[in-house]
Amino acid sequence: IPREKVRSIQLVKEGETSEVVRDSDGWKPAGGGTNGVDLSTIENILFHAANLRAVRIESINPGDLSVYGLHAPGTRLTFGLSGEEGIRKTVLLGFATSPGGGVYGTVQGQDVVFVLDYDVVFRMTRDVLLRVPRDP
C-alpha cells in the first residue's frame, strides 16, 4: 500500500478501536477528541504496509477461514486510501501459527491466507493514539 495514498488508519484490536485521519495539517484522531496521535507508530505502520512481506503463503482459496482464526478476527487494520488503489483495504489477523512461525493473515476480499512474522504484526498493531488518562 503506497504510504502517500493512505488517508486514514483504523485498528480494531481486542474490541478496542483506534483511528487516525490525515489531512493537510497531518495526522489527527478521527472524530476529534482529546487523544494525541503516536506519529512513530503511524510511520511504522505505513512503512510495513508499503513493504509487507509474508513469511509464507499458507493457502489459496481456503474453504474455511475459521481454521486460521480469520472468520471473526480479533485484529483488523484498515487503511482508507485515495486514488485508484481503492477506498479501503483491511488486513485481518488470526491465530498464531506454531511457535516462531508467525500469525495468519489475509486481506479482506482476497483469496489468499499468508503468515506474517510476529515482529511485523506487533509493530503494525500498536495503538495509533496516545490515550489521555481518565480521571479516577
Side-chain angles (χ1 to χ4, degrees), residues 36-55:
V37 297
D38 187 335
L39 290 176
S40 66
T41 295
I42 292 168
E43 287 300 315
N44 218 328
I45 290 170
L46 292 173
F47 173 80
H48 286 292
N51 299 289
L52 194 60
R53 300 287 182 264
V55 173

Side-chain angles (χ1 to χ4, degrees), residues 9-20 28-39 41-42 76 125-135:
I9 301 171
Q10 180 187 67
L11 174 65
V12 178
K13 182 177 175 182
E14 299 172 7
E16 295 286 323
T17 301
S18 301
E19 186 170 3
V20 292
K28 298 178 175 150
T34 58
N35 292 320
V37 297
D38 187 335
L39 290 176
T41 295
I42 292 168
R76 296 172 179 262
T125 60
R126 291 185 53 211
D127 196 343
V128 292
L129 296 176
L130 298 170
R131 307 281 180 173
V132 174
R134 296 181 184 165
D135 291 329

Side-chain angles (χ1 to χ4, degrees), residues 33-128:
T34 58
N35 292 320
V37 297
D38 187 335
L39 290 176
S40 66
T41 295
I42 292 168
E43 287 300 315
N44 218 328
I45 290 170
L46 292 173
F47 173 80
H48 286 292
N51 299 289
L52 194 60
R53 300 287 182 264
V55 173
R56 69 178 181 273
I57 301 298
E58 187 69 24
S59 178
I60 297 175
N61 293 321
D64 182 8
L65 289 176
S66 66
V67 173
Y68 308 103
L70 297 168
H71 63 294
T75 304
R76 296 172 179 262
L77 183 61
T78 302
F79 299 93
L81 306 173
S82 65
E84 296 178 18
E85 279 71 30
I87 297 173
R88 294 171 73 83
K89 295 230 184 235
T90 301
V91 177
L92 308 174
L93 298 170
F95 298 139
T97 65
S98 61
V103 176
Y104 292 119
T106 191
V107 175
Q108 191 169 7
Q110 302 292 318
D111 57 359
V112 176
V113 174
F114 47 82
V115 175
L116 294 175
D117 184 82
Y118 286 122
D119 186 57
V120 170
V121 171
F122 173 76
R123 292 174 187 275
M124 290 185 71
T125 60
R126 291 185 53 211
D127 196 343
V128 292

